[in-house]
Amino acid sequence: MAGTTAAPTAPPVIQGHDLAAEFGGRTIFQHLNFNVRRGEIFVILGGSGCGKSTLLKQLIGLLPPSAGQAEVLGQDIHALAAAPRRALLQRIGVMFQSGALFGSQTLAENVMVPLEEHTRLPAAARRLLARAKLGLVGLSDAADRLPAEISGGMAKRAGIARAMALDPEILFLDEPSAGLDPITSAELDALIRQLARDLGTTFVVVTHELASILAIGDRCIMLDKDAQGMIAEGDPRDLRDNSTHPTVRAFFRREAK
């Protein structure tokens, strides 16, 4: 089942307008046009080297596009001045592939980092909020542990908790299932579905993990290295069952092209 019940008419919170990426004269992708609806789990998928993480970096403001516009919550994220850009970035949360936790800080202290940087809350309130976010991802009992003392799956959950610290409208997850065993990966998929359903948060997930794509994705776009762009868009289950594109079929059915 899909992760949410976002209506097809829900307003877009992200729009890609003719986006392109080039490095050293080599085109990674071009002419990307898509939108992400409020409240859905939107998956960016494709094989290695197709530009999934590059597109994610464009959408969160880390990498300017070679052409086109990345519109997030109604604003061109790369055209904003410093102050409005900072305000926009506080409305989104990001979990990077490794979790990117600070090794010398406890999980609670990691989650408090955005609160310390972007709010004026007293320390007691920050600690309370951090533990509440860890509770949302099932880590209430691990708040005082260091990253080295927890499993990879727990680190991913802690990364999600930190990404949620400021109650963002959009959560970006980069390869959340990477390096996890199938059971832990399925548990993380269930958590993402639950958070999307309970909080109404929009998720943008970059992954090539087929089981996760089918378990959580409401809609997806598929990038392809050879095509230098997007080769499919829609419900991933529909693409699996009905696509006639050889690369799309090969990906979803684990077949050789």
Side-chain angles (χ1 to χ4, degrees), residues 217-239:
D218 291 311
R219 287 194 305 129
C220 69
I221 57 173
M222 182 171 182
L223 307 184
D224 181 67
K225 181 178 180 180
D226 294 333
Q228 298 180 337
M230 186 167 66
I231 59 172
E233 179 178 11
D235 185 317
R237 290 151 295 276
D238 181 59
L239 295 178

Side-chain angles (χ1 to χ4, degrees), residues 176-177 184-194 211-213 215-216:
S177 298
T184 303
S185 180
E187 291 172 346
L188 190 61
D189 291 340
L191 172 65
I192 293 169
R193 290 197 304 269
Q194 179 182 348
S212 291
I213 293 165
I216 67 173

Side-chain angles (χ1 to χ4, degrees), residues 97-118:
Q97 182 172 342
S98 64
L101 300 175
F102 297 109
S104 61
Q105 296 182 324
T106 66
L107 301 191
E109 289 169 342
N110 266 279
V111 177
M112 281 191 284
V113 169
L115 298 169
E116 292 167 348
E117 292 184 356
H118 300 294

Side-chain angles (χ1 to χ4, degrees), residues 14 42 66 74 119 133 169 184 206 214 223:
I14 296 173
F42 184 85
S66 303
T119 76
K133 299 303 181 185
E169 297 170 56
T184 303
V206 170
L214 296 173
L223 307 184

Side-chain angles (χ1 to χ4, degrees), residues 9-185:
T9 56
V13 292
I14 296 173
Q15 292 179 289
H17 300 288
D18 213 28
L19 285 171
E22 294 183 1
F23 294 106
R26 182 172 67 92
T27 298
I28 307 301
F29 56 72
Q30 58 187 337
H31 307 309
L32 294 190
N33 292 282
F34 62 92
N35 66 76
V36 180
R37 301 169 189 149
R38 184 175 297 279
E40 72 177 345
I41 300 177
F42 184 85
V43 179
I44 301 170
L45 62 96
S48 299
C50 68
K52 300 187 299 295
S53 293
T54 297
L55 177 57
L56 176 70
K57 291 176 182 177
Q58 290 183 349
L59 296 178
I60 63 176
L62 288 181
L63 183 68
S66 303
Q69 292 181 326
E71 190 174 305
V72 179
L73 295 169
Q75 302 177 81
D76 182 348
I77 193 169
H78 296 284
L80 294 173
R85 180 185 175 94
R86 181 179 176 87
L88 176 59
L89 292 175
Q90 290 181 40
R91 298 171 66 189
I92 68 174
V94 184
M95 188 212 77
F96 293 100
Q97 182 172 342
S98 64
L101 300 175
F102 297 109
S104 61
Q105 296 182 324
T106 66
L107 301 191
E109 289 169 342
N110 266 279
V111 177
M112 281 191 284
V113 169
L115 298 169
E116 292 167 348
E117 292 184 356
H118 300 294
T119 76
R120 296 182 178 179
L121 293 171
R126 294 198 302 267
R127 288 193 293 270
L128 185 64
L129 277 172
R131 290 179 178 274
K133 299 303 181 185
L134 287 168
L136 285 175
V137 299
L139 292 178
S140 295
D141 295 336
D144 297 320
R145 296 168 70 179
L146 294 171
E149 299 172 334
I150 62 175
S151 67
M154 293 171 71
K156 297 293 182 75
R157 287 171 177 260
I160 293 174
R162 186 174 62 186
M164 294 193 303
L166 298 175
D167 296 322
E169 297 170 56
I170 307 172
L171 271 175
F172 294 87
L173 308 182
D174 187 12
E175 298 283 4
S177 298
L180 301 182
D181 64 80
I183 294 176
T184 303
S185 180

